[in-house]
Amino acid sequence: MKRTKRWTLILLGSSSVLLVPWTVVLALTLPTKTEVHNWSLAWIGLDVLMALGCAATALLGLRGDPRARLTASATASVAVLDAWFDITTSAVGTELLEALASAVAEAGLAAACVFLALSKGWVRTNSSPAT
């Protein structure tokens, strides 16, 4: 393994350890309620990011470009994040049921993206994009 890659992985592992106490600090100090500015922009931004990820993955994948795996992976992450925030910020009742229904769809999207990101047969194996 190359030295740079090894040290990058060590740094990544160290970061995961350091995030544990930070998470505890946040859990003990963050308010349970807050007023949020630009609420609609945050939600619209997540959905636009998810749509762009789907489009980029589809376009790259249809061209046989191996970078589609990267966009698929990123899109899966955005879908899971969107579902998480939908559920955790919803009020109990109808709003939560709608968020759970949306989360099912987003979980399906995330699963499809993970499948594409891990699949080997649908993109060329060389590193140059299709022309």
Side-chain angles (χ1 to χ4, degrees):
M1 183 180 304
K2 289 185 179 180
R3 185 179 215 176
T4 304
K5 184 175 182 180
R6 180 174 167 76
W7 278 107
T8 302
L9 292 170
I10 289 170
L11 178 63
L12 188 62
S14 300
S15 296
S16 72
V17 172
L18 293 172
L19 280 167
V20 172
W22 174 245
T23 303
V24 172
V25 168
L26 289 177
L28 296 173
T29 60
L30 284 175
T32 56
K33 293 182 179 186
T34 187
E35 182 178 326
V36 179
H37 301 283
N38 300 316
W39 181 258
S40 60
L41 179 61
W43 288 114
I44 292 166
L46 269 176
D47 288 334
V48 167
L49 191 57
M50 197 165 23
L52 290 173
C54 289
T57 301
L59 291 173
L60 290 170
L62 289 170
R63 292 181 56 207
D65 191 321
R67 293 175 294 182
R69 291 183 185 183
L70 299 174
T71 59
S73 179
T75 304
S77 298
V78 172
V80 170
L81 240 143
D82 195 351
W84 170 261
F85 283 108
D86 282 344
I87 293 168
T88 60
T89 61
S90 295
V92 177
T94 304
E95 191 176 319
L96 180 58
L97 291 175
E98 289 173 359
L100 290 169
S102 292
V104 170
E106 289 161 341
L109 172 62
C113 286
V114 168
F115 171 78
L116 292 173
L118 297 176
S119 295
K120 293 183 180 183
W122 67 287
V123 294
R124 288 192 327 261
T125 55
N126 64 5
S127 60
S128 62
T131 53

